[in-house]
Amino acid sequence: MPNALAERPSALQLFLIFARIGLTSFGGGLSGWMLREFVQRRRLMSEDDFLNGLSVAQALPGVNVTNMAIWIGYKLGGRNGAIASWLGIVVPAAFVIVLIGSVFASLSGYELSHVALSGAAAAAIGLSLAMGLTAARRVPRRVFPLAIMAATFVAVAILKWPLLWTVLGFGSLSVAVTYRDG
């Protein structure tokens, strides 16, 4: 059965998956990495579930990636899964960040360190773009959802409106209209 979801992982497995994601990701694009890991590669959840969780994670206060790790962990392993996922995405990467920060601070005078950071940033932008395009494909092909998507993009990317108020305004409007339409 090619479309069946895999068995749920243990808390330790969730910790290790998120530790690997946190330790191998640079400069953003983690939601794209999570999509690949949990939906496409391991088949632990559907793309709809993932995108619903991503919407919730982005609407909540805090770091989106951490919110998403907690959501995925809870969805797949309950409270223990959420705790293990949070520890996996935060703790190992925090130790590495301190180590790398110390190394880059000592190498900041060398041009190669700037080239390395530029390369990592380009890869992160590519991952973020892939995630954005994946999410945009899932927007219902009706006028109102497409208008909300376009208006949000224009407000944030072109008009430079504050993100918080834009998301609260357009998000609330979208939720209200979707709820009304059933």
Side-chain angles (χ1 to χ4, degrees):
M1 183 181 309
N3 290 328
L5 298 178
E7 285 189 33
R8 294 175 181 240
S10 67
L12 176 61
Q13 288 170 320
L14 285 169
F15 175 84
L16 293 174
I17 292 168
F18 278 104
R20 188 171 64 81
I21 291 171
L23 291 172
T24 57
S25 300
F26 293 89
L30 283 174
S31 53
W33 192 264
M34 289 180 193
L35 173 74
R36 178 167 295 190
E37 191 69 27
F38 287 95
V39 175
Q40 297 166 346
R41 183 169 170 258
R42 296 180 185 266
R43 308 178 57 74
L44 292 169
M45 62 178 30
S46 69
E47 190 172 293
D48 283 343
D49 281 346
F50 181 87
L51 293 174
N52 287 336
L54 182 62
S55 300
V56 170
Q58 290 180 334
L60 294 173
V63 179
N64 292 342
V65 170
T66 305
N67 294 345
M68 190 65 187
I70 293 169
W71 187 86
I72 289 172
Y74 188 80
K75 180 98 176 152
L76 297 176
R79 184 188 66 215
N80 290 340
I83 292 169
S85 298
W86 175 74
L87 289 172
I89 199 76
V90 170
V91 173
F95 283 113
V96 172
I97 288 169
V98 170
L99 177 66
I100 290 175
S102 300
V103 171
F104 267 101
S106 65
L107 298 175
S108 64
Y110 296 99
E111 181 63 25
L112 184 58
S113 63
H114 300 285
V115 171
L117 290 175
S118 294
I125 290 169
L127 278 172
S128 294
L129 183 59
M131 184 65 234
L133 292 174
T134 298
R137 280 188 338 204
R138 305 296 294 196
V139 172
R141 299 293 180 241
R142 296 188 310 264
V143 172
F144 184 74
L146 293 172
I148 289 290
M149 183 177 75
T152 303
F153 175 79
V154 168
V156 172
I158 296 172
L159 300 175
K160 310 286 185 202
W161 288 2
L163 184 61
L164 174 65
W165 300 116
T166 303
V167 170
L168 281 176
F170 286 125
S172 299
L173 177 64
S174 182
V175 168
V177 169
T178 302
Y179 179 77
R180 183 198 67 197
D181 294 345

